[in-house]
Structures are given as C-alpha cells and as structure tokens.
Amino acid sequence: MEVKRHFSWRSLVTIAALCLFHVTAGETTLGQTPQMGWNSWNTFKAIINESVIHETARLFGTLGLQKAGYNYVVIDDGWANHSRTADGYLQANVTGFPSGIKALADKVHAQGLKLGIYSDSGILTCDFKPGSWGYEERDAQTFASWGVDYLKYDNCGGFEGMTEASQVRFGTMKNALELSGRKIFYSVCEWGFQFPWRWGGGIGHSYRISGDITASFTNETGCACKTAYCLNTGYAGCSVLTIINKMREISQYGVQGHWLDMDMLEIGVANMTLYQQQTHFTFWSALKSPLIIGADLSRLSNESLAILTNKNIIALNQDSLGKPVSYVETLSEDGLWQVWAGNIESGYVVLLLNEKSYPQTISLQLSNLGLGTPRKIVELWSEKTLKTNAFNGTLQPYQTLVFKIDTA
C-alpha cells in the first residue's frame, strides 16, 4: 500500500510539472537546433579517463570539428566511483579522473567547448555505478556546481528495477535540472520503450527513439524490433538501416527543441563503405537527429572526417525551420529504394536511397512532391546542379543522393 501511495505522489507531481513545461518551454534557448558533439561510449565503453577527454577536446580544434559546429564533449558511463560520498554525493573515480569533473569542465570551457556527463534514471547505471533515482535534485546540483552543460540520462537501472514509469523517472530529473541554477541540455536515453515520441517532447531537449545502434549498416544482432512500435524487445544492436526504417513511422513527431534521437554516429567506428557512411550522416542530419560522433578522433580517417564536416549536409541538420523529412511512400519501392522529402528555410530537400547491395537505376520527378516549384536543384554530396526537374541515373549500393531544391 505504501508503494502505491509513493507512485501516485511522484506521478502526480511529475505530470503537473510536465503540463507547466509546455507553457514555459519557449523561454529556454537550449536545443533550438539538434545538438552536435562527441560521446565516449561507442569507442571506449566504460573504460574512459580524463586524458581521452582532453585529447578529444584538442582534436575538436585541430580537425575542424569545432568550426563545423560540434561543441559538446560528452563523458558516458564509467566516469563515476562505485559508491557515493558519505554525504550521498556522486564522485568521480580517482583512477580515471584524478583532477575531478570540475577541473575537467574548466579546461573544456577554456577551449570554447561544453562538457557533458552521464547518469541513469534508476538505482544503478548500465556499468553498475550509482544511478540518480532518489537523488535527482542532489545530482543536478552537483552537475551544475561542476560546470556541466549536458546530461545524458539512461534507462538501465530504472527499466530493470521497474521503479517507476519512464515518464516519471525522466520527468523528475527534468524538474531537478530546471532547479539547478544552470542551463543543462537534457538528453533522454530511454531506448524507444513506451513510445517516447508521444511524451518525450515534454521532458527532454532530445530523446532516443530506438535501442542502441550497432557498428553495422545492415546486419542485425540483438535488435528484435524492426519497427518503431514494439514493447519489451529490440533495445540493443540496431543497424543504421533499421533505425532509418523506424523513423518512417515517427519522423512527424520531431519538433524544434525536442529532437528525435537516432543514437550516436558510427561513422569512423564501423567498417562501412563511403556510401554507407554518407547515407548514415545524411539521414541523421535530414531527420534532425543529434549529431554525436562516436569515433576515436585520434584514429579518424580523412574520408570519415570529410563526411562529418560536410557543411552542406550539416546545414540540413541545423536548418532554422527544424523540420525533419518524411517518408514518401508513393514514390518509394519497399525494399528497393526510399524517397524522403521535407521543407527547409530556402525550399525543400529530397533524399533518394538505394536500399540494396547492388547498383540500381532510378527515375524520380522532383517537381511532383507538392512542396513548391523548383528554381534550382543541387545534389549536395557531388555539388552538381541538375539541368531539369527530374533525376534519372544509377545509384551505387546503399548510396543516398540529396537534392536541395530552392523555390525562392
């Protein structure tokens, strides 16, 4: 009986706060475009230390990533000590972070960058470090005092422990961050469980729509759910193409300031072809997903770096309208090729994806989308201008062409 009373109280408080959020959300400037940065997890997992963070921040400048718009350096799971202090505060593990998080934040800020950190909405993190459930206000105040600018908030401890509904767990931290005295970007990592596109916009500046991405373009490992609408399945090992396909059902839920997060980028991590990497970056950009690099920047190839810093594709992601593209079923052939389209500030953009492992010749009338009369059409990866309003040509395996269509 006491447990039921506890659930009802926290649930009612959170629901009331979320209602207030919709009134006050416009007051913040955070998240007006999808966040861009780097996260340690894809490469380093929980074996992370301050030297890696220092080197990554340095490489933001030397590789041109900072100039391209990437500004968050995010420490994922593994930074914390296995226990809190005697007073119940989170603390960094001294082996990996002997200088502490505040000193690290100061160094990152001195380079004109922002520092992100990680916690979990349950009792423990995925790496079995202390989670923030029951300590939300204390932890938010701690992060603020350290100068943290970004919180990635995971689902392992809460999901496994079944402590509360996702909306309650993640909403409680949202409220705590707002009381912390510092503007902290809130990245909800809830794996798409319980359909967060129906409620996540009232909580996070961004929120995950799927299980963890894997370093594979097409092959699946543990991603049992191939669509967006699954319960209790598919929380890990989802390929790039599967996550793209999930977005066919839910891209319309993406709104400015509350972005649908397709997970971190595997460009420079996985053994993908040039066209697979371009497709990966194209869809994350055009669907207004956060652009969070997961690669070891010290080992990034020139090919991968050129993709990650392509100003034309990044401009789609950071477009001021903030509208994700939508799947155009009438012009697509399921399992063969996909057509996506959507408005941008100067007109609209059309994506044409060859979904097969072999070349395909495809014809597409670009003026048949009802989004405006084309005045100029440029394919962004090649930067070539089309002479007509139609495309007829061959796409290589898993290649995506991106047509920017000016109407003004």
Side-chain angles (χ1 to χ4, degrees):
M1 185 65 67
E2 291 179 2
V3 173
K4 290 183 178 179
R5 284 201 298 269
H6 170 72
F7 175 86
S8 299
W9 178 81
R10 295 199 77 151
S11 300
L12 288 172
V13 169
T14 299
I15 291 169
L18 296 184
C19 292
L20 178 63
F21 174 87
H22 288 290
V23 176
T24 61
E27 297 176 5
T28 180
T29 58
L30 288 176
Q32 292 307 293
T33 57
Q35 68 269 34
M36 297 175 63
W38 174 91
N39 180 289
S40 59
W41 185 258
N42 283 12
T43 296
F44 298 97
K45 303 305 182 203
I47 312 301
I48 186 65
N49 59 63
E50 63 183 41
S51 296
V52 171
I53 303 303
H54 289 317
E55 177 64 4
T56 297
R58 185 188 70 81
L59 288 169
F60 263 51
T62 59
L63 295 178
L65 292 165
Q66 187 172 357
K67 183 178 180 181
Y70 297 90
N71 61 351
Y72 286 109
V73 180
V74 183
I75 315 166
D76 209 283
D77 206 355
W79 67 268
N81 194 289
H82 279 287
S83 60
R84 292 175 177 268
T85 67
D87 296 330
Y89 288 91
L90 288 172
Q91 55 185 336
N93 75 72
V94 295
T95 302
F97 296 87
S99 304
I101 302 301
K102 187 179 187 309
L104 182 58
D106 289 344
K107 266 201 150 181
V108 169
H109 292 157
Q111 294 176 245
L113 300 170
K114 299 178 181 180
L115 186 73
I117 207 164
Y118 169 99
S119 190
D120 193 282
S121 63
I123 298 167
L124 297 172
T125 72
C126 299
D127 191 47
F128 303 103
K129 304 294 172 50
S132 290
W133 175 249
Y135 292 86
E136 290 89 351
E137 287 192 17
R138 180 170 297 189
D139 290 354
Q141 292 288 342
T142 298
F143 299 147
S145 70
W146 287 344
V148 167
D149 306 290
Y150 182 112
L151 174 63
K152 176 183 173 182
Y153 205 48
D154 214 341
N155 198 36
C156 283
F159 178 75
E160 293 294 337
M162 297 301 288
T163 49
E164 283 276 16
S166 299
Q167 296 93 319
V168 175
R169 288 185 283 110
F170 286 93
T172 301
M173 180 54 84
K174 178 193 82 73
N175 300 335
L177 291 173
E178 290 178 348
L179 293 171
S180 72
R182 184 176 179 83
K183 287 186 176 181
I184 298 177
F185 190 102
Y186 188 27
S187 171
V188 170
C189 182
E190 194 265 355
W191 318 334
F193 180 65
Q194 294 182 341
F195 317 139
W197 43 91
R198 295 192 178 275
W199 52 265
I203 296 178
H205 296 104
S206 68
Y207 53 94
R208 281 272 297 279
I209 58 90
S210 174
D212 290 355
I213 194 170
T214 189
S216 174
F217 188 83
T218 56
N219 295 330
E220 298 300 338
T221 52
C223 193
C225 178
K226 303 299 190 294
T227 71
Y229 289 93
C230 295
L231 283 173
N232 301 321
T233 58
Y235 297 113
C238 297
S239 72
V240 170
L241 192 55
T242 290
I243 293 174
I244 291 172
N245 287 337
K246 286 173 183 279
M247 288 292 283
R248 294 191 299 188
E249 303 171 89
I250 59 174
S251 69
Q252 70 271 18
Y253 289 98
V255 296
Q256 196 163 38
H258 312 288
W259 310 106
L260 279 67
D261 183 356
M262 299 164 70
D263 204 2
M264 295 168 283
L265 296 164
E266 293 283 3
I267 295 164
V269 179
N271 186 25
M272 295 185 197
T273 68
L274 170 65
Y275 292 129
Q276 288 172 339
Q277 290 184 87
Q278 287 182 350
T279 290
H280 185 0
F281 198 58
T282 293
F283 275 90
W284 264 239
S285 293
L287 284 163
K288 305 301 188 286
S289 176
L291 299 181
I292 304 296
I293 300 167
D296 181 348
L297 297 187
S298 68
R299 302 184 177 207
L300 198 63
S301 70
N302 290 335
E303 180 178 87
S304 295
L305 179 62
I307 291 169
L308 290 169
T309 56
N310 186 292
K311 62 181 181 181
N312 294 325
I313 306 301
I314 290 174
L316 297 181
N317 185 257
Q318 300 292 297
D319 183 73
S320 61
L321 284 185
K323 292 185 177 181
V325 293
S326 297
Y327 179 62
V328 184
E329 186 175 6
T330 55
L331 297 178
S332 303
E333 288 290 337
D334 194 35
L336 294 176
W337 66 80
Q338 297 184 19
V339 177
W340 297 66
N343 287 107
I344 56 176
E345 185 179 22
S346 60
Y348 59 101
V349 62
V350 178
L351 277 53
L352 178 60
L353 163 65
N354 175 10
E355 201 174 341
K356 304 307 291 185
S357 60
Y358 50 81
Q360 292 195 83
T361 299
I362 304 172
S363 297
L364 180 64
Q365 187 68 40
L366 295 166
S367 56
N368 284 349
L369 291 159
L371 296 175
T373 302
R375 295 182 181 273
K376 182 181 180 181
I377 303 174
V378 178
E379 199 288 305
L380 295 184
W381 284 111
S382 65
E383 298 187 322
K384 292 181 179 179
T385 301
L386 268 67
K387 296 180 180 179
T388 69
N389 292 340
F391 170 79
N392 183 31
T394 299
L395 274 69
Q396 296 305 309
Y398 304 118
Q399 183 181 11
T400 296
L401 297 180
V402 186
F403 301 103
K404 180 177 179 288
I405 301 168
D406 292 333
T407 58

